[in-house]
Amino acid sequence: MAAPLLRIGTRGSPLALWQANAVRDGLIAALGAGPEAVEIVTIRTTGDAIQDRPLSEAGGKGLFVKEIDEALLEGRVDLAVHSAKDLPTDLADGTILAATLPRADVRDALIGGAAPTLAELPHGAVVGTASLRRGALVRRRRPDLKVVSFRGNVQTRLDKLARREVDATLLALAGLTRLGLQNHATELLDADDFLPALGQGAVAVTARAGDARTLDVLRRLDCPATAAALACERAFLKVLDGSCRTPIAGLARVDGGTLRFRGLVLSEDGARETSGEIAGAASDAAALGAESGRDVKARTPPDLLAAFG
């Protein structure tokens, strides 16, 4: 059997494999080749191995990409597929963000066991989430609720909820939809009020910076509007030095040649926040995100900024 033309590195969760297969399908079409031309290589990451504590205590979102980056740089794979929100703002030396697929619905979904909506959850109900952002936004709306750490892939969390380990949880609607599990959502949270994670709903593809052959094929998959939105959001996050230890949210929308962005920094209890909005040419996406980040950082109280250190 002939060796594959391209090898995709990915995590092995059902959602990660859905994303990798979406990229694989696009590559096969772009190459005009048979299915054997693109191989998916699953790689277990440190983030997958750690399930007993929040990632914010273990080293942050980079734990989901370290081993995949190593495989990419060593030539064991030619490209890597990630949830964009899992990508660190500083990519591994020698790798670049080469393509983004069209973005899915960015909203968060509540999956309620005790009640269908956030407003209807009983006083003191327990909400499980692995995200500091979601926890802070929940507490902002409902300070009476108890938020607990809740790790695992999508199905694992749904199973834990079914066992009533918590009264409700929140997941990205995009992930639920990609897995055919969107019917589990009992409430879709408005993205303007419950701002998503930076990069939420987007699939990002990284490759070696000097690999002209792979980069040329990946350009055919790239969605310009998603790429601009992601460039803005990642630039905002980079200025704030955001990590899994920081409740930060934001969303860039592209309409024609115009980009509009809103970003938010929260205290972990959701009681305090600093927000900023900016608009401009989509071609200036990264500069707009960085400018908004500097503005928000300048107006954020020093003790809240200390969380970024």
Side-chain angles (χ1 to χ4, degrees):
M1 180 181 293
L5 297 175
L6 292 170
R7 295 155 300 167
I8 299 172
T10 178
R11 295 166 61 200
S13 73
L15 181 55
L17 290 172
W18 185 97
Q19 295 174 164
N21 274 291
V23 172
R24 179 176 179 267
D25 291 346
L27 289 170
I28 288 170
L31 291 165
E36 71 284 352
V38 184
E39 178 186 1
I40 292 175
V41 179
T42 59
I43 299 168
R44 184 168 172 80
T45 70
T46 304
D48 296 313
I50 298 172
Q51 293 292 328
D52 60 344
R53 60 194 187 278
L55 287 179
S56 56
E57 296 176 5
K61 63 177 69 176
L63 296 174
F64 282 129
V65 303
K66 179 177 178 289
E67 287 82 3
I68 298 176
D69 282 341
E70 289 171 354
L72 184 59
L73 290 168
E74 291 169 6
R76 289 184 277 126
V77 298
D78 303 295
L79 59 138
V81 178
H82 304 279
S83 294
K85 66 180 182 180
D86 288 340
L87 272 183
T89 53
D90 290 318
L91 298 180
D93 288 344
T95 70
I96 63 170
L97 181 52
T100 55
L101 300 190
R103 196 171 200 172
D105 197 315
V106 300
R107 288 177 293 177
D108 282 305
L110 181 83
I111 301 95
T117 70
L118 196 55
E120 294 175 287
L121 285 173
H123 184 91
V126 178
V127 177
T129 177
S131 161
L132 286 181
R133 173 192 61 87
R134 289 180 180 134
L137 288 169
V138 165
R139 292 181 179 108
R140 181 178 70 166
R141 275 203 193 180
R142 291 285 308 272
D144 62 291
L145 298 179
K146 181 181 179 183
V147 177
V148 299
S149 178
F150 203 58
R151 291 288 314 283
N153 65 35
V154 172
Q155 189 60 58
T156 298
R157 296 187 212 190
L158 292 176
D159 292 344
K160 288 180 178 180
L161 177 64
R163 294 195 297 268
R164 298 304 298 268
E165 292 184 21
V166 296
D167 296 307
T169 188
L170 298 107
L171 293 167
L173 177 60
L176 288 169
T177 302
R178 286 164 177 160
L179 294 173
L181 299 170
Q182 63 271 27
N183 289 341
H184 286 271
T186 57
E187 181 184 19
L188 300 182
L189 300 166
D190 183 80
D192 291 319
D193 178 57
F194 205 95
L195 272 176
L198 299 146
Q200 185 155 308
V203 176
V205 185
T206 59
R208 291 184 295 275
D211 186 353
R213 182 196 66 155
T214 301
L215 295 175
D216 179 63
V217 179
L218 287 174
R219 286 189 194 99
R220 305 179 218 175
L221 273 59
D222 192 41
C223 172
T226 303
L230 194 56
C232 176
E233 293 171 19
R234 287 174 60 78
F236 176 80
L237 193 62
K238 184 175 177 67
V239 168
L240 290 168
D241 193 27
S243 71
C244 284
R245 298 181 297 276
T246 312
I248 300 179
L251 177 63
R253 293 183 171 100
V254 177
D255 184 8
T258 300
L259 180 147
R260 301 182 187 281
F261 173 75
R262 180 169 172 246
L264 177 68
V265 176
L266 293 145
S267 59
E268 193 169 345
D269 63 4
R272 294 179 297 155
E273 64 179 61
T274 306
S275 65
E277 297 186 32
I278 197 168
S283 56
D284 296 328
L288 290 168
E291 182 180 342
S292 185
R294 289 189 294 269
D295 167 60
V296 167
K297 191 170 186 177
R299 293 186 289 107
T300 301
D303 63 316
L304 215 57
L305 284 175
F308 303 163

